[in-house]
């Protein structure tokens, strides 16, 4: 997907917002209902408290819209922008009660996705001087995949498969069941749509040779040393694209990139990125 808006168009995202609100709201926000008059109006600011890459502002607006269409959420920056502490990300105006009720759910989306975008940008910058692409994986929070992959893109990373449906990736358990790389690729070529690339996971140079000889489009070098990755690049000579995978860290990324692989996949982009610090503060009220 190239148009960023496509990541946010899935009906599953509305279901996710509904689930998050149902989880938090339950039978009702007893605190807000007890303290806040229905006719009280106000203005609130959502503000960054650290350096971060913004991701998820469209979700913030959708959260409040579900609670009360009268709440106006006006972004002050665009998703994908890097901001400093103190930057106002969005201004909310309207009835105070739904603003307070939706605060935590809206911030959960915004802090988590901005955390992924911020973490991804840091990793991408570590290999920016070499011709390699940093890609995500399917190691995503259940139900959040489209959103988390959107955040990766905002941070400068690229997306691997969206799911099991849009690419053939023959992994070690497939090979164990089938018996050989050659037979697995043969079956994939026979049955999968011709428009799909066929990728094979290998763990040593012997398996790499077999994958190359049978015509795999992409070969994943799983948990190989940098020395073996460099040898793999020498052996491949452009016959397939090479993807390095397994145990990637900030410190290791430049070493792996220097081996001349085409892609580095990193599950930590989505499963280990820390949330960033963002808060919502009520600025003024009126009746």
């Amino acid at each position: 997907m190239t148009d960023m808006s496509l990541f946010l168009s899935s009906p599953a995202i509305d279901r996710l917002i509904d689930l998050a609100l149902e989880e938090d709201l339950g039978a009702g926000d007893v605190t807000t209902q007890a303290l806040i008059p229905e006719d009280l109006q106000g203005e609130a600011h959502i503000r960054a408290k650290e350096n971060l890459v913004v991701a998820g502002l469209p979700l913030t607006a959708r959260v409040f819209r579900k609670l009360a269409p009268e709440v106006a959420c006006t972004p002050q920056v665009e998703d994908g922008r890097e901001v400093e502490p103190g930057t106002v990300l969005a201004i909310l105006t309207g009835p105070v009660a739904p603003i307070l009720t939706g605060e935590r759910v809206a911030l959960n989306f915004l802090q988590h996705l901005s955390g992924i975008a911020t973490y991804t940008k840091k990793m991408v910058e570590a290999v920016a001087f070499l011709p390699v692409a940093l890609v995500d994986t399917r190691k995503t929070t259940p139900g959040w995949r489209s959103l988390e992959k959107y955040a990766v893109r905002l941070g400068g990373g690229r997306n691997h498969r969206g799911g099991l449906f849009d690419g053939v990736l023959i992994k070690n358990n497939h090979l164990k069941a089938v018996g050989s790389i050659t037979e697995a690729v043969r079956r994939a070529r026979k049955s999968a749509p011709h428009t799909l690339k066929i990728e094979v996971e290998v763990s040593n140079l012997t398996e790499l040779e077999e994958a190359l000889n049978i015509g795999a489009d992409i070969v994943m070098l799983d948990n190989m040393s940098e020395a073996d990755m460099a040898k793999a690049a020498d052996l491949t000579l452009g016959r397939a694209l090479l993807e390095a995978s397994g145990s990637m860290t900030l410190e290791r990324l430049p070493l792996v990139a220097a081996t001349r692989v085409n892609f580095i996949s990193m599950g930590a982009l989505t499963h280990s990125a820390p949330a960033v610090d963002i808060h919502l503060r009520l600025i003024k009220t009126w009746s």
Side-chain angles (χ1 to χ4, degrees):
M1 290 184 287
T2 55
D3 183 351
M4 286 293 193
S5 65
L6 295 178
F7 286 89
L8 304 177
S9 63
S10 169
I13 295 175
D14 278 319
R15 295 199 299 271
L16 185 62
I17 294 172
D18 288 339
L19 179 63
L21 288 170
E22 178 184 338
E23 175 184 62
D24 203 34
L25 190 54
D29 179 357
V30 294
T31 307
T32 297
Q33 289 172 352
L35 301 180
I36 307 301
E38 290 185 3
D39 62 349
L40 185 67
Q41 303 290 302
E43 177 180 315
H45 293 180
I46 297 175
R47 193 182 300 269
K49 295 183 69 179
E50 61 179 291
N51 291 310
L52 57 88
V53 177
V54 181
L57 283 176
L59 275 294
T60 301
R62 284 161 76 169
V63 168
F64 290 109
R65 193 180 307 128
K66 291 231 178 224
L67 288 169
E70 315 91 86
V71 175
C73 179
T74 307
Q76 302 300 294
V77 299
E78 293 183 350
D79 267 9
R81 178 176 163 187
E82 189 170 11
V83 301
E84 297 178 345
T87 302
V88 175
L89 307 182
I91 296 175
L92 303 169
T93 55
V96 170
I99 292 175
L100 300 183
T101 296
E103 173 183 355
R104 177 39 52 201
V105 170
L107 289 180
N108 283 349
F109 280 108
L110 193 56
Q111 289 178 284
H112 178 59
L113 296 177
S114 297
I116 290 173
T118 303
Y119 185 75
T120 299
K121 180 176 175 60
K122 183 178 181 180
M123 300 301 118
V124 168
E125 288 176 344
V127 295
F129 59 95
L130 289 167
V132 66
L134 188 64
V135 302
D136 55 25
T137 71
R138 286 168 45 243
K139 295 176 182 177
T140 54
T141 308
W144 283 69
R145 181 168 297 163
S146 177
L147 294 177
E148 291 180 345
K149 285 180 173 285
Y150 167 75
V152 167
R153 288 285 292 273
L154 290 173
R158 291 174 60 177
N159 300 136
H160 209 293
R161 296 187 296 172
L164 298 174
F165 52 85
D166 59 349
V168 176
L169 177 48
I170 301 169
K171 295 178 69 68
N172 54 3
N173 284 328
H174 297 110
L175 295 174
K176 183 71 173 179
V178 172
S180 73
I181 291 172
T182 299
E183 178 61 14
V185 173
R186 186 192 68 78
R187 292 186 192 182
R189 289 269 183 233
K190 182 178 179 180
S191 300
H194 70 280
T195 55
L196 295 184
K197 299 285 188 182
I198 294 179
E199 181 170 6
V200 180
E201 178 185 275
V202 304
S203 57
N204 57 59
L205 297 177
T206 300
E207 292 175 349
L208 170 65
E209 286 279 19
E210 184 180 357
L212 293 172
N213 289 337
I214 194 60
D217 300 302
I218 309 168
V219 181
M220 177 186 289
L221 310 177
D222 186 49
N223 283 298
M224 283 191 182
S225 66
E226 288 85 39
D228 279 348
M229 288 182 194
K231 292 176 183 176
D234 290 335
L235 287 170
T236 301
L237 293 174
R239 288 183 285 168
L241 297 173
L242 295 178
E243 174 187 335
S245 180
S247 304
M248 296 300 166
T249 63
L250 177 63
E251 295 73 25
R252 191 181 180 215
L253 282 174
L255 303 177
V256 173
T259 67
R260 293 165 289 130
V261 295
N262 304 100
F263 306 101
I264 301 174
S265 55
M266 190 172 183
L269 296 181
T270 51
H271 70 59
S272 294
V276 292
D277 197 359
I278 298 171
H279 71 197
L280 182 154
R281 290 291 182 267
L282 194 60
I283 303 301
K284 58 184 177 181
T285 63
W286 62 91
S287 296

